[in-house]
Amino acid sequence: MRTPLVLARHELRLLVSLALWVARRRHETGSGTAFGYARGQGPVMFGLAFVCVVESIAMAVLLRDYPAVHRVVFILDVYTIVLVVGMHAASVVRPHVLDAGSLRIRRAAHVDLRIPLEKVDSVRRELRTTHQRADGELDVVIGAQTSVTLELTEPVAHFTSLGRRRDVRLVRFHADDADRLVREVRREVQAVRQARTAPSALPSPLPDQPA
Protein backbone atom coordinates (compact mmCIF):
# COMPACT_ATOMS: atom_id res chain seq x y z
CA MET A 1 0.00 0.00 0.00
CA ARG A 2 2.91 2.32 0.72
CA THR A 3 4.32 2.20 -2.83
CA PRO A 4 1.11 3.39 -4.57
CA LEU A 5 0.88 6.30 -2.13
CA VAL A 6 4.50 7.25 -2.78
CA LEU A 7 3.95 7.12 -6.54
CA ALA A 8 0.78 9.19 -6.21
CA ARG A 9 2.64 11.86 -4.21
CA HIS A 10 5.39 11.85 -6.82
CA GLU A 11 2.93 12.41 -9.65
CA LEU A 12 1.26 15.17 -7.64
CA ARG A 13 4.62 16.92 -7.30
CA LEU A 14 5.04 16.73 -11.07
CA LEU A 15 1.63 18.29 -11.64
CA VAL A 16 2.35 21.04 -9.10
CA SER A 17 5.70 21.66 -10.79
CA LEU A 18 3.95 21.96 -14.15
CA ALA A 19 1.63 24.60 -12.69
CA LEU A 20 4.60 26.50 -11.22
CA TRP A 21 6.40 26.30 -14.56
CA VAL A 22 3.43 27.78 -16.39
CA ALA A 23 3.24 30.53 -13.75
CA ARG A 24 7.03 31.13 -14.06
CA ARG A 25 7.58 30.49 -10.36
CA ARG A 26 10.11 28.38 -8.47
CA HIS A 27 9.61 25.91 -5.66
CA GLU A 28 10.97 26.83 -2.22
CA THR A 29 14.04 28.86 -3.12
CA GLY A 30 13.43 31.49 -0.45
CA SER A 31 16.28 33.97 -0.04
CA GLY A 32 18.89 31.48 -1.25
CA THR A 33 20.76 31.44 -4.55
CA ALA A 34 19.26 29.11 -7.16
CA PHE A 35 21.38 27.09 -9.58
CA GLY A 36 19.64 25.47 -12.52
CA TYR A 37 20.55 22.13 -14.06
CA ALA A 38 17.85 21.47 -16.67
CA ARG A 39 19.36 23.30 -19.65
CA GLY A 40 20.92 20.23 -21.25
CA GLN A 41 17.99 17.86 -20.85
CA GLY A 42 15.25 20.09 -22.29
CA PRO A 43 15.58 18.94 -25.92
CA VAL A 44 15.61 15.29 -24.82
CA MET A 45 12.46 15.67 -22.74
CA PHE A 46 10.58 17.53 -25.45
CA GLY A 47 11.76 14.94 -27.96
CA LEU A 48 10.29 12.25 -25.73
CA ALA A 49 7.03 14.19 -25.50
CA PHE A 50 6.96 14.45 -29.31
CA VAL A 51 7.38 10.68 -29.61
CA CYS A 52 4.45 10.24 -27.22
CA VAL A 53 2.33 12.53 -29.39
CA VAL A 54 3.20 10.54 -32.51
CA GLU A 55 2.39 7.30 -30.70
CA SER A 56 -0.96 8.74 -29.60
CA ILE A 57 -1.84 9.67 -33.19
CA ALA A 58 -0.84 6.22 -34.43
CA MET A 59 -2.99 4.52 -31.79
CA ALA A 60 -5.92 6.76 -32.71
CA VAL A 61 -5.68 5.52 -36.29
CA LEU A 62 -5.33 1.88 -35.29
CA LEU A 63 -8.23 2.02 -32.83
CA ARG A 64 -10.62 4.15 -34.87
CA ASP A 65 -13.03 1.20 -35.15
CA TYR A 66 -13.00 0.66 -31.37
CA PRO A 67 -14.17 3.97 -29.89
CA ALA A 68 -14.40 2.77 -26.28
CA VAL A 69 -10.85 1.42 -26.29
CA HIS A 70 -9.67 4.48 -28.19
CA ARG A 71 -11.01 6.83 -25.51
CA VAL A 72 -9.21 4.94 -22.74
CA VAL A 73 -5.93 4.81 -24.65
CA PHE A 74 -6.24 8.49 -25.58
CA ILE A 75 -6.67 9.51 -21.93
CA LEU A 76 -3.64 7.43 -20.93
CA ASP A 77 -1.57 8.93 -23.75
CA VAL A 78 -2.48 12.49 -22.78
CA TYR A 79 -1.65 11.79 -19.14
CA THR A 80 1.70 10.32 -20.16
CA ILE A 81 2.54 13.43 -22.16
CA VAL A 82 1.57 15.62 -19.20
CA LEU A 83 3.88 13.62 -16.91
CA VAL A 84 6.78 13.84 -19.36
CA VAL A 85 6.44 17.61 -19.61
CA GLY A 86 5.94 17.70 -15.84
CA MET A 87 9.29 15.99 -15.30
CA HIS A 88 11.04 18.71 -17.27
CA ALA A 89 9.01 21.38 -15.47
CA ALA A 90 10.03 19.92 -12.11
CA SER A 91 13.69 20.18 -13.12
CA VAL A 92 13.22 23.84 -14.01
CA VAL A 93 11.22 24.97 -10.97
CA ARG A 94 13.18 22.89 -8.42
CA PRO A 95 16.78 24.09 -8.81
CA HIS A 96 19.66 23.55 -6.43
CA VAL A 97 19.56 26.17 -3.66
CA LEU A 98 22.49 27.58 -1.68
CA ASP A 99 21.84 29.64 1.41
CA ALA A 100 23.87 30.70 4.43
CA GLY A 101 23.55 27.35 6.18
CA SER A 102 23.02 24.60 3.63
CA LEU A 103 23.19 23.41 0.04
CA ARG A 104 20.00 21.83 -1.25
CA ILE A 105 20.65 19.42 -4.12
CA ARG A 106 17.63 18.46 -6.20
CA ARG A 107 16.68 16.58 -9.34
CA ALA A 108 13.13 17.22 -10.48
CA ALA A 109 10.76 15.59 -7.98
CA HIS A 110 13.05 12.58 -7.45
CA VAL A 111 15.92 13.90 -5.30
CA ASP A 112 15.86 16.52 -2.56
CA LEU A 113 18.96 16.41 -0.35
CA ARG A 114 19.83 19.19 2.07
CA ILE A 115 23.49 19.27 3.14
CA PRO A 116 24.59 21.48 6.07
CA LEU A 117 27.58 23.55 5.01
CA GLU A 118 29.49 22.65 8.17
CA LYS A 119 29.62 19.07 6.88
CA VAL A 120 31.23 20.04 3.56
CA ASP A 121 34.87 19.01 3.40
CA SER A 122 35.59 19.98 -0.21
CA VAL A 123 33.83 20.88 -3.44
CA ARG A 124 35.30 20.84 -6.92
CA ARG A 125 34.40 21.09 -10.58
CA GLU A 126 34.61 17.58 -12.01
CA LEU A 127 32.90 16.50 -15.21
CA ARG A 128 31.91 12.83 -15.29
CA THR A 129 29.92 10.98 -17.92
CA THR A 130 30.18 7.48 -16.43
CA HIS A 131 29.04 6.51 -12.96
CA GLN A 132 29.16 3.30 -10.97
CA ARG A 133 27.06 2.76 -7.87
CA ALA A 134 29.18 2.62 -4.70
CA ASP A 135 28.46 2.59 -0.99
CA GLY A 136 28.42 6.04 0.53
CA GLU A 137 28.19 7.80 -2.84
CA LEU A 138 25.23 9.48 -4.52
CA ASP A 139 25.23 10.37 -8.21
CA VAL A 140 22.53 12.89 -9.14
CA VAL A 141 22.92 12.50 -12.89
CA ILE A 142 21.40 14.93 -15.40
CA GLY A 143 21.71 14.16 -19.09
CA ALA A 144 24.17 11.32 -18.36
CA GLN A 145 26.62 13.66 -16.64
CA THR A 146 27.64 15.25 -13.36
CA SER A 147 29.84 18.33 -13.13
CA VAL A 148 30.34 18.96 -9.39
CA THR A 149 31.77 16.66 -6.73
CA LEU A 150 31.04 17.33 -3.07
CA GLU A 151 32.91 15.49 -0.30
CA LEU A 152 31.57 15.53 3.25
CA THR A 153 33.21 15.27 6.64
CA GLU A 154 30.49 12.91 7.86
CA PRO A 155 27.57 11.07 6.28
CA VAL A 156 24.19 12.66 5.64
CA ALA A 157 20.98 10.72 5.20
CA HIS A 158 19.47 10.51 1.74
CA PHE A 159 16.00 9.04 1.25
CA THR A 160 15.06 7.61 -2.13
CA SER A 161 11.71 8.20 -3.81
CA LEU A 162 10.42 5.02 -2.16
CA GLY A 163 11.66 6.07 1.28
CA ARG A 164 14.77 3.90 1.50
CA ARG A 165 17.59 5.47 3.49
CA ARG A 166 21.18 5.74 2.30
CA ASP A 167 24.02 7.40 4.20
CA VAL A 168 26.29 9.23 1.78
CA ARG A 169 29.63 10.99 2.19
CA LEU A 170 30.22 11.92 -1.45
CA VAL A 171 27.71 13.53 -3.79
CA ARG A 172 28.12 14.15 -7.50
CA PHE A 173 25.59 16.35 -9.25
CA HIS A 174 25.20 18.65 -12.22
CA ALA A 175 24.70 22.39 -12.50
CA ASP A 176 24.43 24.49 -15.64
CA ASP A 177 26.90 26.99 -14.16
CA ALA A 178 29.09 24.59 -12.23
CA ASP A 179 32.03 26.98 -11.87
CA ARG A 180 29.90 29.64 -10.21
CA LEU A 181 28.25 27.11 -7.91
CA VAL A 182 31.65 25.80 -6.77
CA ARG A 183 32.88 29.34 -6.07
CA GLU A 184 29.75 30.24 -4.11
CA VAL A 185 29.79 27.03 -2.07
CA ARG A 186 33.45 27.52 -1.18
CA ARG A 187 32.75 31.09 -0.11
CA GLU A 188 29.82 30.08 2.09
CA VAL A 189 31.72 27.14 3.60
CA GLN A 190 34.63 29.44 4.42
CA ALA A 191 32.24 31.88 6.08
CA VAL A 192 30.76 29.07 8.19
CA ARG A 193 34.21 27.88 9.26
CA GLN A 194 35.31 31.38 10.18
CA ALA A 195 32.16 31.92 12.21
CA ARG A 196 32.77 28.67 14.11
CA THR A 197 36.42 29.43 14.88
CA ALA A 198 36.03 33.13 15.67
CA PRO A 199 36.70 33.89 19.35
CA SER A 200 33.62 34.80 21.31
CA ALA A 201 33.36 38.35 22.52
CA LEU A 202 34.53 38.87 26.10
CA PRO A 203 31.89 40.23 28.47
CA SER A 204 32.23 43.88 29.38
CA PRO A 205 33.70 44.42 32.87
CA LEU A 206 31.26 45.42 35.53
CA PRO A 207 31.49 49.05 36.63
CA ASP A 208 33.11 49.72 39.99
CA GLN A 209 30.62 49.81 42.80
CA PRO A 210 30.67 52.90 45.01
CA ALA A 211 32.16 52.35 48.45
Side-chain angles (χ1 to χ4, degrees):
M1 186 64 183
R2 176 180 173 81
T3 300
L5 290 176
V6 171
L7 294 176
R9 285 199 298 267
H10 175 71
E11 292 186 6
L12 180 60
R13 293 190 194 102
L14 294 181
L15 297 177
V16 170
S17 298
L18 185 58
L20 291 173
W21 186 50
V22 172
R24 297 181 178 273
R25 296 173 57 189
R26 285 177 169 173
H27 178 266
E28 295 183 4
T29 56
S31 59
T33 304
F35 294 89
Y37 52 84
R39 186 186 305 160
Q41 74 172 12
V44 175
M45 298 303 295
F46 284 112
L48 180 58
F50 176 75
V51 170
C52 292
V53 171
V54 172
E55 185 267 345
S56 179
I57 295 173
M59 293 302 295
V61 173
L62 293 174
L63 298 175
R64 62 182 180 275
D65 295 329
Y66 307 93
V69 177
H70 173 243
R71 282 193 293 270
V72 174
V73 173
F74 178 76
I75 292 172
L76 293 176
D77 285 342
V78 170
Y79 189 63
T80 300
I81 294 170
V82 170
L83 290 183
V84 170
V85 178
M87 283 190 287
H88 175 66
S91 297
V92 174
V93 304
R94 296 170 182 263
H96 308 310
V97 181
L98 174 66
D99 57 33
S102 66
L103 172 63
R104 190 175 184 181
I105 298 173
R106 301 197 279 191
R107 182 182 65 194
H110 306 85
V111 176
D112 192 343
L113 176 63
R114 192 184 297 271
I115 300 176
L117 293 180
E118 64 264 20
K119 294 186 178 182
V120 174
D121 182 48
S122 66
V123 58
R124 62 183 179 273
R125 175 81 156 84
E126 182 182 32
L127 179 63
R128 285 198 174 204
T129 56
T130 58
H131 304 84
Q132 293 182 346
R133 184 181 177 89
D135 290 339
E137 298 183 4
L138 175 65
D139 295 318
V140 187
V141 181
I142 300 293
Q145 67 175 341
T146 58
S147 54
V148 180
T149 298
L150 194 71
E151 296 187 31
L152 308 179
T153 58
E154 59 183 274
V156 297
H158 164 62
F159 293 91
T160 67
S161 299
L162 296 178
R164 299 189 183 94
R165 172 172 174 154
R166 289 186 60 203
D167 291 330
V168 297
R169 294 194 61 162
L170 186 145
V171 182
R172 300 185 186 93
F173 61 101
H174 176 67
D176 293 333
D177 192 351
D179 291 325
R180 177 170 170 256
L181 185 145
V182 168
R183 289 196 304 269
E184 292 294 325
V185 170
R186 286 175 176 170
R187 182 175 62 83
E188 292 293 342
V189 169
Q190 185 64 24
V192 169
R193 290 174 179 172
Q194 289 177 350
R196 293 179 63 185
T197 58
S200 58
L202 296 176
S204 302
L206 295 175
D208 294 336
Q209 298 294 326

